[in-house]
Amino acid sequence: MEELTRNLAALETSDTFPEDDSKPTLLPIPGPPGLPIIGNIRDFDPAFPLSTFLNFAEIYGPIFEMTLGTAGRRVFISSVELFEEVCDESRFHKVVTGALETLRNGVGSGLFTAHHGEKDWLIAHRILMPAFGPLKIRDMFDDMHDIASQLVLKWARYGPKHKILATDDFTRLTLDTLSLCAMGYRFNSFYTEEMHPFVDAMVGYLFESGKRAFRPSIANKLMRRTNARYDQDIKYMRDLARELVQGRRNNPTDKNDLLNAMINGRDPKTGEGLNDELICNNMITFLIAGHETTSGLLSFTFYNLIKNSAAYRAAQKEVDEVCGKGPITIDHIPKLKYINAVLRETLRLNPTATTFSLAPHSDLDEHPPTLGKGKYSLEGVPAVICVLQKIHRDPKVYGADANEFKPERMLDEAFEKLPKAAWKPFGNGMRACIGRPFAWQEAVLVTTMLLQHFNFQFDDPGYELHIKQTLTIKPKDFYMRATLREGMSAVAPSAAADVIHSDGGSQKHPAKETSGSDKKQQRKLMSIFYGSNTGTCEALAQSLATNAAGHGFDADVRTLDSATEKLPKDHPVVIITASYEGQPPDNATHFVEWLKSLSGNEASGTNYAVFGCGHRDWQTTFQRIPTLVNDTLHKLGGTRMVERGVADAAEGDMFTKFDTWEDELFWPAIDSKYGGTSVAAASTTLVSTLTAEISSNRSSKLRVDVSDARVIATKTLTAPDQPEKRHLEIQLPSNAAYSSGDYLAVLPINPKQAIHRAMKRFQLPWDARITLTSTAPTALPTNYSMSAHDIFAAYVELSQPATKKNVLSLAAAAVDPETKSQLEALAGDQFQAEITQKRISPLDLLERYPCLHIPLGSFLAMLPPMRVRQYSISSSPLHNADTCTVSYDRLEVAALSGSGGNHYGVASNFLSSLEPGDILRVAVRASAKPFHLPLNPAMPIVMIAIGTGIAPFRGFVQERAVQILAGRTLGNALLFVGCRYHDKDRLYAEEFDKWQEQGAVQLRYAFSREPELSEGCKYVQDRLGKEKAELFKAWEDGARVFVCGNARLGEEVAKVCKDGYRERRKNQGEETTEEAAEEWFGKLKEERFATDVFD
């Protein structure tokens, strides 16, 4: 076992094959084929060029070449081993080419854009080096603190409900910091809503410079309007720079800053100074490079911290221990070891300057110059472009988790052991960034101040990182929220008495009441916190909040993360959360980490209740997070008001489980402790918090958590006499990026049949309008008119099985005694068999009992809000990063209600109704980390699926096929698939056969209706058993195993593996117990066994 573990570890971190000690033969450099004249220009993503380099690195490996039109050949490298070679300054030097060359239009021979050996660079570098020395940077601390305090004050005044566009405010911060420290000039960016005009000019200049680098020169000359704006932007920046220089000359000071260094400094070697034009070149260079990269660093840092709650908690703990709650001083900075590691790890994953270019010295004693220890010729190659984001993620250096954010690997001792070329976000050698000490001190200070004062969370808990690129990169559309930490206040630098308290209001400027009525203010407070990825727990929280009004409570519904360090103690607290493979939901990670870090009686005074959702098929992690929260709060001194509620998705109806817990346990306990309406009255009365007014005006509102995508193609994958399985290809939204194995979240529309039934039952004309008003929290749009059809189609789940509370409410509304009696019976002992198992919805009951008459608002209030459905993406971005495909079963079966109609799957029928050109609303969501192809392509993989569980593996194999066609050598891939027939439901048969011929996969089928065609194997577990020798050979070679299918498939695969292990041990002369086999499988399952289970 130990030997297997060692072999696995070696394989995980290796991307090379045994070296040949003989003299290397020159190898061709792989790359995509180009077109005459323009070469590979059309291969570039104009909005995100870096993605082109990253995709080709995945396809072709650590070295590839492209032809960039008239600019000629470029070689790209993406491994530490190759990067180490080109960082040898005795062989290579920086070369200014492409976008950097274009930047010279605005900054000439500034430090960043000067050519190798250019005289202006040599003089300026020698003059300015002392100005960036340790003592000079230390002297700038107070000015840095001044600007950082302005940011803290702004966020404190805005309060926790304000959406912060992180990149904008960090741009304000870094621009103001650099201009004040370097030039004694205040842009005062925090005193206006709009960005300073310099920022607009700079962004336009950077954006157009980047675009020009990828356009033919003739095209650039013809774009007159664009050129005029470009020239205008450059003129504005240079005029401002000249104004600052002239202002300092007219009003000299003895300030020890960069501007004085440039005006008064003399080159110690030649005695020359800098003329005003060269000073302006470098001033603009500092303003651009110095603030653009640092604002990107800070933005990525806070994205990474919010996304990774354990690292966030460790960073904030260090700030608390080193700095406490007092002012941060210069002496604190070197003590913040973990903050340093966070910033290093951020720049490893997302170096804001994504590439730099090097070229061999012209007098190099190599003919031709080579790379890869003599394997690749660089003859005729003017530049080698180093793709830092791939180099910094080299699994040979950083291991199988190279893509993960782990600051611990960047702590001082571990950091010093890294190869020198493994981390170079500031460039290399003599041409490395001269302002690195300035940027680092600023970044450490700002990160520390913000963590000291605030708790942060995503504005959208489901936010996935997207990149915006000019010449640097930043997160795109990254919004977060900042809540002042308990006991913290922010003091305005200019007015010490203007204190901002933790409620987000100011003593001088108290917060204005924005909502509520006298009646609402008389209610008692209740806080409901939810942790939810798919929307179920959020829907339960909203339902509880709606019902709370009837018990005399005004319920505030928020994400669980918003309770971090702010757990209420003066009113009841309800926590509704799920577990996802044993981990907290995305919007609960920070709360859970904070809770785990406590050890005293911090929850004393908190009266709480916990309800947990989960799926028992994940036996080892079922209800882990709800249990942890419930037990930990109790240990920390909290008062548990009621026993934890439990809902199991495997049983099918979590809403009824929640209603039962709510009515029979929760409300009796709450009403007893706090007083309130009786449970019986609340449970058997129609919901009256929502009313509907019908009109004939038109309007609609679309959801905002998903984006528009366009259908490209659809097709049926199965024969007409088989259960229908379909394929859908879509053009992704422009901001969407995915990896093989990820999910596509789809916001569906209810089946037209269900919509028609609802309209008919309430006697609504096709153009009816509804205006909803509510006296309690609701997920439905309120206070404006919209189409009744849109409400039924897009906002509520019409087919969701009724809960007991729904049935009792309908019974309360029944006038006919017989109807009332039947409904009450259905809510009793018959409920599970007649309602839940037959999936009877409130709409079904209203149709069954036409004599029932309830208000439309009461009906809508019964229904949970529409939720997204997730489908495994069945394609690879290496095939086409702009599109993705999904493969799904279309559900249409006879309804179990006995009505004679059919039951339609909501999302599958919505997808099947789409045609090319149609628009749907989607979002890409990352799958669990283990369910992705290994970083090392030489690692073997085994894939096991039934039916449409083949979807993610189509993406895996498609990706491997692209890499093989590009000449890469990959590890073996086995795919075990279960289906019925060889010719009726063998999904993507032609594609998989072709990929098998190419060597991308080895197929092993099990045909349940034709076992004679699959080695006598009826089910996929039978085929696994038959091929167990092959399976275990792959396992011993370090293979990763992936399973996608229903829960039973996972159990059968586990049984085959454990039985095979015991058999192999027996053949080796050693008997193994079931318990030992279970322990063996459990350990390897944690390391190399990933499952994706669906119902």
Side-chain angles (χ1 to χ4, degrees):
M1 186 69 192
E2 290 76 11
E3 182 180 359
L4 175 60
T5 303
R6 287 195 299 272
N7 293 338
L8 173 62
L11 182 60
E12 285 274 13
T13 58
S14 175
D15 193 24
T16 59
F17 296 95
E19 293 188 6
D20 187 350
D21 293 333
S22 61
K23 185 177 180 180
T25 302
L26 287 176
L27 300 175
I29 300 176
L35 297 173
I37 302 177
I38 65 172
N40 299 107
I41 291 294
R42 292 181 61 183
D43 291 326
F44 277 89
D45 179 347
F48 187 21
L50 175 62
S51 67
T52 304
F53 308 151
L54 298 178
N55 280 340
F56 283 144
E58 286 290 331
I59 294 171
Y60 294 101
I63 184 169
F64 63 92
E65 70 173 24
M66 302 177 72
T67 302
L68 307 184
T70 56
R73 291 173 63 206
R74 295 290 188 275
V75 168
F76 296 79
I77 61 171
S78 58
S79 73
V80 170
E81 186 177 4
L82 294 175
F83 191 42
E84 193 89 54
E85 279 194 63
V86 298
C87 286
D88 180 356
E89 291 186 281
S90 68
R91 297 181 63 214
F92 291 84
H93 62 266
K94 176 178 176 177
V95 60
V96 174
T97 184
L100 275 189
E101 179 71 34
T102 310
L103 281 182
R104 287 176 65 94
N105 295 329
V107 296
S109 55
L111 286 176
F112 191 51
T113 52
H115 291 297
H116 175 64
E118 194 166 356
K119 179 181 177 182
D120 287 347
W121 181 86
L122 294 169
I123 294 173
H125 191 261
R126 287 191 290 261
I127 289 174
L128 287 169
M129 274 298 290
F132 287 98
L135 292 179
K136 298 293 179 64
I137 298 300
R138 184 183 178 94
D139 289 343
M140 297 177 184
F141 181 84
D142 289 344
D143 283 346
M144 291 182 178
H145 195 284
D146 177 349
I147 302 300
S149 297
Q150 293 182 29
L151 176 63
V152 170
L153 183 62
K154 174 184 177 179
W155 288 357
R157 281 179 167 163
Y158 273 115
K161 295 185 178 180
H162 175 66
K163 290 173 57 175
I164 298 168
L165 183 55
T167 51
D168 275 13
D169 273 356
F170 284 136
T171 294
R172 289 182 169 95
L173 170 89
T174 52
L175 177 67
D176 283 20
T177 300
L178 186 62
S179 61
L180 180 61
C181 294
M183 301 152 198
Y185 182 81
R186 289 186 181 270
F187 279 101
N188 289 326
S189 299
F190 289 114
Y191 295 92
T192 60
E193 288 296 324
E194 301 298 324
M195 286 287 194
H196 191 280
F198 177 86
V199 176
D200 294 333
M202 177 206 68
V203 170
Y205 161 65
L206 291 177
F207 183 78
E208 177 58 19
S209 293
K211 290 288 189 182
R212 287 184 172 211
F214 295 104
R215 291 196 207 111
S217 56
I218 185 64
N220 285 327
K221 292 177 181 178
L222 294 175
M223 303 178 72
R224 295 183 179 180
R225 183 178 300 177
T226 300
N227 292 340
R229 178 56 190 267
Y230 185 63
D231 294 340
Q232 181 182 343
D233 289 338
I234 292 173
K235 182 178 184 301
Y236 181 87
M237 292 189 299
R238 296 197 69 82
D239 285 348
L240 178 62
R242 293 189 185 102
E243 179 185 331
L244 293 177
V245 174
Q246 193 58 47
R248 181 63 64 88
R249 290 194 184 279
N250 294 340
N251 301 282
T253 72
D254 58 357
K255 186 172 183 178
N256 207 3
D257 62 11
L258 295 179
L259 185 52
N260 270 350
M262 288 190 287
I263 290 175
N264 303 320
R266 292 294 178 268
D267 178 11
K269 186 172 182 178
T270 66
E272 296 182 52
L274 305 179
N275 60 45
D276 282 4
E277 285 304 295
L278 193 52
I279 292 174
C280 288
N281 289 344
N282 282 298
M283 283 184 64
I284 299 172
T285 296
F286 291 143
L287 287 170
I288 292 175
H291 98 272
E292 181 75 359
T293 53
T294 308
S295 66
L297 165 59
L298 290 169
S299 299
F300 282 120
T301 294
F302 278 86
Y303 166 80
N304 285 327
L305 287 174
I306 297 172
K307 192 72 173 177
N308 298 274
S309 56
Y312 183 106
R313 183 56 45 194
Q316 198 167 61
K317 180 181 178 183
E318 180 180 73
V319 170
D320 292 344
E321 291 174 350
V322 172
C323 306
K325 296 184 179 181
I328 297 170
T329 68
I330 186 65
D331 295 326
H332 288 133
I333 300 301
K335 300 176 183 177
L336 296 160
K337 305 296 185 182
Y338 196 81
I339 298 297
N340 268 277
V342 165
L343 295 171
R344 287 171 179 160
E345 180 73 345
T346 295
L347 283 177
R348 182 185 73 83
L349 290 173
N350 293 108
T352 51
T354 60
T355 63
F356 59 83
S357 302
L358 302 167
H361 293 311
S362 57
D363 58 353
L364 193 64
D365 189 21
E366 292 182 27
H367 305 288
T370 62
L371 193 55
K373 298 180 180 178
K375 292 181 181 178
Y376 304 105
S377 170
L378 296 180
E379 186 172 18
V381 178
V384 176
I385 299 176
C386 310
V387 186
L388 291 180
Q389 193 172 69
K390 287 293 290 183
I391 292 167
H392 285 179
R393 299 175 185 224
D394 189 338
K396 188 176 179 181
V397 174
Y398 291 107
D401 60 357
N403 286 336
E404 297 178 26
F405 180 75
K406 292 190 173 181
E408 289 73 15
R409 67 171 124 230
M410 289 293 174
L411 290 168
D412 289 346
E413 185 176 350
F415 181 69
E416 293 300 326
K417 292 179 181 178
L418 290 173
K420 296 302 180 185
W423 190 84
K424 285 187 176 287
F426 291 98
N428 181 58
M430 287 291 291
R431 294 301 298 269
C433 175
I434 194 174
R436 173 177 174 175
F438 178 96
W440 204 255
Q441 179 173 289
E442 179 187 11
V444 172
L445 170 63
V446 171
T447 302
T448 303
M449 285 187 70
L450 293 178
L451 289 176
Q452 181 190 49
H453 283 85
F454 299 103
N455 283 322
F456 293 93
Q457 62 187 97
F458 290 122
D459 174 62
D460 174 7
Y463 175 77
E464 294 292 339
L465 182 64
H466 302 298
I467 305 294
K468 178 182 180 180
Q469 183 174 9
T470 52
L471 284 182
T472 63
I473 59 171
K474 292 181 180 180
K476 182 179 181 182
D477 299 328
F478 168 35
Y479 289 90
M480 61 184 186
R481 295 177 187 260
T483 303
L484 273 169
R485 297 178 67 191
E486 194 70 31
M488 289 302 299
S489 63
V491 181
S494 58
D498 192 3
V499 179
I500 307 300
H501 293 281
S502 59
D503 61 0
S506 167
Q507 285 185 330
K508 286 189 174 182
H509 310 286
K512 186 177 181 180
E513 184 69 40
T514 58
S515 65
S517 63
D518 292 340
K519 181 178 179 181
K520 186 174 180 179
Q521 290 173 359
Q522 292 171 4
R523 296 176 185 165
K524 295 177 284 290
L525 293 176
M526 174 182 290
S527 288
I528 304 174
F529 300 105
Y530 65 88
S532 179
N533 279 356
T534 63
T536 300
C537 288
E538 182 179 1
L540 296 178
Q542 292 287 356
S543 172
L544 181 62
T546 298
N547 296 335
H551 290 262
F553 285 90
D554 177 16
D556 181 32
V557 180
R558 299 191 184 189
T559 65
L560 192 48
D561 273 346
S562 65
T564 305
E565 293 189 351
K566 286 187 174 293
L567 205 57
K569 296 180 182 292
D570 58 348
H571 58 265
V573 172
V574 185
I575 295 173
I576 304 171
T577 186
S579 292
Y580 293 90
E581 298 185 17
Q583 300 302 312
D586 292 341
N587 51 14
T589 56
H590 290 274
F591 177 83
V592 172
E593 285 296 331
W594 169 69
L595 203 62
K596 288 160 59 178
S597 73
L598 304 179
S599 59
N601 61 348
E602 290 88 347
S604 177
T606 296
N607 297 299
Y608 72 93
V610 175
F611 187 88
C613 297
H615 198 301
R616 65 167 176 244
D617 286 341
W618 282 274
Q619 295 179 6
T620 59
T621 60
F622 179 58
Q623 293 280 330
R624 176 179 177 271
I625 297 303
T627 302
L628 183 151
V629 170
N630 189 51
D631 293 349
T632 305
L633 285 174
H634 184 68
K635 290 177 183 178
L636 296 172
T639 300
R640 186 184 295 140
M641 299 182 295
V642 63
E643 288 301 310
R644 173 171 59 89
V646 176
D648 182 2
E651 296 177 358
D653 188 7
M654 291 193 289
F655 288 89
T656 291
K657 285 285 187 182
F658 180 76
D659 281 351
T660 300
W661 174 81
E662 179 187 349
D663 291 344
E664 297 180 3
L665 296 176
F666 178 74
W667 284 122
I670 293 296
D671 293 340
S672 174
K673 186 175 183 65
Y674 293 95
T677 307
S678 69
V679 176
S683 299
T684 60
T685 305
L686 275 173
V687 176
S688 58
T689 59
L690 192 68
T691 59
E693 176 185 325
I694 301 173
S695 66
S696 57
N697 296 324
R698 291 184 179 270
S699 129
S700 71
K701 180 182 179 181
L702 297 175
R703 300 281 180 136
V704 296
D705 55 343
V706 284
S707 302
D708 287 349
R710 182 173 57 85
V711 176
I712 296 175
T714 68
K715 65 179 178 181
T716 301
L717 300 172
T718 48
D721 60 343
Q722 294 301 303
E724 188 175 356
K725 304 181 191 306
R726 296 183 59 85
H727 168 92
L728 179 75
E729 182 178 4
I730 67 167
Q731 181 81 33
L732 286 167
S734 60
N735 63 347
Y738 72 99
S739 299
S740 299
D742 282 348
Y743 300 116
L744 188 74
V746 177
L747 182 65
I749 292 174
N750 278 309
K752 61 182 180 181
Q753 296 89 346
I755 300 168
H756 175 73
R757 288 168 55 205
M759 297 285 284
K760 180 180 179 181
R761 180 59 178 81
F762 285 93
Q763 294 294 290
L764 299 174
W766 68 271
D767 61 347
R769 315 293 298 174
I770 298 177
T771 300
L772 298 174
T773 59
S774 180
T775 59
T778 177
L780 296 174
T782 56
N783 300 320
Y784 62 90
S785 173
M786 64 182 301
S787 161
H789 183 280
D790 286 351
I791 289 284
F792 287 138
Y795 287 92
V796 292
E797 296 276 2
L798 289 174
S799 301
Q800 181 71 34
T803 66
K804 279 190 178 181
K805 185 178 292 183
N806 295 156
V807 181
L808 288 171
S809 295
L810 293 176
V815 177
D816 173 50
E818 180 64 22
T819 299
K820 182 185 289 288
S821 175
Q822 290 182 19
L823 286 168
E824 289 173 347
L826 287 173
D829 295 339
Q830 301 178 25
F831 181 80
Q832 186 66 25
E834 294 298 323
I835 300 295
T836 301
Q837 292 181 8
K838 293 183 178 181
R839 300 190 60 83
I840 304 299
S841 68
L843 180 57
D844 290 328
L845 292 173
L846 287 174
E847 290 179 325
R848 181 184 297 182
Y849 300 104
C851 60
L852 274 175
H853 296 287
I854 66 170
L856 176 58
S858 297
F859 172 69
L860 292 173
M862 289 181 180
L863 307 178
M866 179 65 74
R867 58 182 176 84
V868 298
R869 271 69 165 176
Q870 291 189 164
Y871 291 89
S872 291
I873 293 175
S874 58
S875 58
S876 165
L878 297 193
H879 175 72
N880 189 335
D882 297 327
T883 68
C884 80
T885 65
V886 293
S887 314
Y888 62 96
D889 295 91
R890 178 175 173 267
L891 179 62
E892 180 182 350
V893 295
L896 299 177
S897 63
S899 64
N902 284 344
H903 172 73
Y904 299 89
V906 175
S908 65
N909 279 273
F910 166 66
L911 293 178
S912 68
S913 71
L914 298 174
E915 298 178 352
D918 285 347
I919 301 297
L920 70 161
R921 312 215 73 199
V922 303
V924 171
R925 292 187 175 173
S927 63
K929 289 178 182 177
F931 212 89
H932 291 101
L933 283 169
L935 286 181
N936 176 13
M939 178 176 286
I941 62 172
V942 176
M943 300 162 283
I944 306 164
I946 56 173
T948 52
I950 202 173
F953 304 141
R954 178 178 182 263
F956 285 7
V957 178
Q958 186 181 61
E959 183 156 316
R960 290 170 55 86
V962 171
Q963 292 173 319
I964 285 174
L965 287 176
R968 300 195 71 179
T969 302
L970 308 180
N972 291 331
L974 283 170
L975 174 58
F976 293 85
V977 186
C979 52
R980 292 182 174 186
Y981 299 95
H982 78 285
D983 58 351
K984 293 185 177 183
D985 64 341
R986 189 163 72 95
L987 307 185
Y988 304 106
E990 292 183 4
E991 286 183 336
F992 277 107
D993 289 345
K994 178 181 177 182
W995 291 333
Q996 180 167 241
E997 291 175 4
Q998 294 173 352
V1001 68
Q1002 298 173 48
L1003 300 171
R1004 304 288 184 267
Y1005 282 101
F1007 303 121
S1008 63
R1009 305 294 173 87
E1010 300 175 319
E1012 68 277 5
L1013 300 181
S1014 52
E1015 304 288 334
C1017 300
K1018 190 172 185 179
Y1019 300 114
V1020 72
Q1021 59 266 30
D1022 302 330
R1023 191 66 193 262
L1024 281 171
K1026 185 175 183 61
E1027 312 289 352
K1028 57 179 176 290
E1030 186 176 40
L1031 176 65
F1032 270 83
K1033 174 63 168 60
W1035 194 272
E1036 290 171 354
D1037 289 342
R1040 287 272 183 88
V1041 178
F1042 303 90
V1043 180
C1044 187
N1046 57 30
R1048 183 181 175 187
L1049 175 63
E1051 294 170 359
E1052 294 291 344
V1053 171
K1055 184 177 184 302
V1056 170
C1057 291
K1058 288 182 286 188
D1059 289 348
Y1061 173 74
R1062 295 184 68 190
E1063 181 180 331
R1064 289 175 68 83
R1065 298 291 287 180
K1066 183 176 181 179
N1067 292 338
Q1068 295 169 0
E1070 182 178 339
E1071 291 290 340
T1072 304
T1073 65
E1074 291 185 11
E1075 292 75 14
E1078 186 70 44
E1079 182 180 354
W1080 166 84
F1081 183 72
K1083 184 174 182 181
L1084 290 185
K1085 185 176 179 181
E1086 291 177 2
E1087 297 172 352
R1088 296 187 284 145
F1089 194 100
T1091 59
D1092 190 357
V1093 177
F1094 55 83
D1095 293 326

